[in-house]
């Protein structure tokens, strides 16, 4: 016989549902893709200037998120 000591309120927390590997990896991938698009567009020098930082942030985020629990 096992006892469930976790209250039912704590099971369905928003943070538990959002801070999971799948959604965070999708966000990191979208940030990387946005950085690559910013790098390739010919219209704005500001977007081009921030493209490397955006891509780097997405890559670091993906690396960190890959260590988060399933």
């Amino acid at each position: 016989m096992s006892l469930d000591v976790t209250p039912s309120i704590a099971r369905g927390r928003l943070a538990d549902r959002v801070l999971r590997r799948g959604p965070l990896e999708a966000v990191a991938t979208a940030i990387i893709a946005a950085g690559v698009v910013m790098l390739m567009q010919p219209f704005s020098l500001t977007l081009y200037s921030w493209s490397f930082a955006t891509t780097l942030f997405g890559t670091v985020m993906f690396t960190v998120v890959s260590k988060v629990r399933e």
Side-chain angles (χ1 to χ4, degrees):
M1 183 168 107
S2 65
L3 295 173
D4 187 14
V5 295
T6 308
S8 62
I9 297 171
R11 274 188 225 145
R13 286 191 198 157
L14 180 63
D16 290 339
R17 284 183 276 150
V18 172
L19 295 177
R20 303 204 71 138
R21 185 185 301 179
L24 290 177
E25 280 182 349
V27 168
T29 304
I31 291 173
I32 293 169
V36 171
V37 169
M38 289 166 60
L39 181 67
M40 293 185 193
Q41 59 82 32
F43 304 112
S44 173
L45 186 60
T46 304
L47 288 177
Y48 179 78
S49 299
W50 282 96
S51 65
F52 178 74
T54 304
T55 306
L56 182 64
F57 176 74
T59 304
V60 169
M61 182 180 170
F62 189 88
T63 303
V64 170
V65 165
S66 67
K67 309 296 185 233
V68 173
R69 65 184 166 94
E70 273 292 316

